[in-house]
């Protein structure tokens, strides 16, 4: 329905709280940083549960759009401290690695971004939005979310967040489209061991995406 631009970046993660359009003293989710290929030097830390995760935050922006941000700390399925972020391969996504997902939409665009830290340094990873929540079985997250079901498996029809980590194991990416998610259709992101349309599922994060 329109071209999608996929930006791949590396760097440390910073977490911003506030309105999507930059009001209340916080930058917009895009904030010029992703588009300019800038990287941060710090790493945000969540607060809340014993795992160090912060609950999802979000709301409406004064420009008429909406935003959402969710944080997760990866742990293996069945861990003593439950987590919405599951690692199925601790060699590639170590326990205690962190993930942040942001979503922003306005009248003309829809953006989904990710920041990760604590992965394998200098390595390529694939990531896509999937249709179902995470569970102990990696297949439980279902297939890729598609704007037009069964049309094409590519970054125009799906949300691809391929990235390469830096020497510290940190990375980030953002995908932009002219379309948004169907109500309840997007429920998680899967981290794959390779970039592109497929690859082994090595981690999963259940995300409360908005439509």
């Amino acid at each position: 329905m329109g071209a999608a631009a996929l930006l791949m970046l590396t760097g440390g993660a910073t977490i911003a709280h506030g309105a999507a359009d930059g009001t209340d003293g916080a930058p917009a989710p895009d904030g010029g940083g992703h588009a300019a290929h800038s990287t941060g030097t710090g790493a945000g830390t969540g607060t809340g549960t014993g795992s160090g995760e912060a609950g999802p935050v979000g709301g409406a922006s004064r420009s008429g759009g909406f935003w959402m941000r969710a944080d997760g700390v990866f742990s293996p399925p069945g861990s003593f401290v439950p987590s919405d972020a599951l690692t199925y391969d601790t060699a590639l996504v170590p326990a205690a690695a962190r993930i942040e997902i942001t979503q922003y939409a306005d009248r003309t665009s829809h953006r989904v971004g990710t920041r990760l830290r604590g992965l394998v340094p200098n390595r390529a990873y694939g990531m896509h939005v999937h249709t179902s929540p995470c569970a102990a079985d990696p297949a439980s997250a279902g297939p890729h979310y598609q704007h037009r079901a069964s049309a094409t498996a590519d970054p125009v029809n799906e949300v691809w967040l391929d990235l390469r980590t830096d020497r510290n194991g940190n990375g980030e990416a953002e995908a932009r489209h002219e379309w948004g998610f169907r109500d309840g259709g997007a429920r998680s992101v899967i981290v794959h061991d390779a970039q592109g349309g497929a690859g082994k599922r090595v981690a999963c994060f259940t995300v409360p995406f908005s439509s």
Side-chain angles (χ1 to χ4, degrees), residues 58-73:
S61 71
R62 295 180 185 178
S63 61
F66 68 84
W67 68 281
M68 180 279 301
R69 179 182 62 75
D71 302 284
V73 179

Side-chain angles (χ1 to χ4, degrees), residues 43-146:
T45 57
T47 58
T49 69
S51 67
E53 293 182 4
V57 295
S61 71
R62 295 180 185 178
S63 61
F66 68 84
W67 68 281
M68 180 279 301
R69 179 182 62 75
D71 302 284
V73 179
F74 288 105
S75 63
S79 295
F80 178 74
V81 178
S83 175
D84 287 333
L86 301 176
T87 175
Y88 307 119
D89 186 336
T90 56
L92 295 180
V93 180
R98 304 187 68 91
I99 183 170
E100 173 193 310
I101 296 292
T102 56
Q103 180 187 16
Y104 176 76
D106 58 24
R107 296 180 181 87
T108 60
S109 68
H110 180 243
R111 304 196 294 273
V112 176
T114 186
R115 293 185 175 100
L116 298 106
R117 66 183 181 94
L119 304 185
V120 177
N122 302 312
R123 193 187 194 284
Y125 290 85
M127 183 184 292
H128 311 98
V129 173
H130 282 244
T131 60
S132 299
C134 308
D137 181 356
S140 296
H144 295 179
Y145 178 90
Q146 293 191 324

Side-chain angles (χ1 to χ4, degrees), residues 175-186:
R176 303 188 185 196
H177 300 83
E178 295 176 359
W179 46 263
F181 295 132
R182 293 180 294 276
D183 187 25

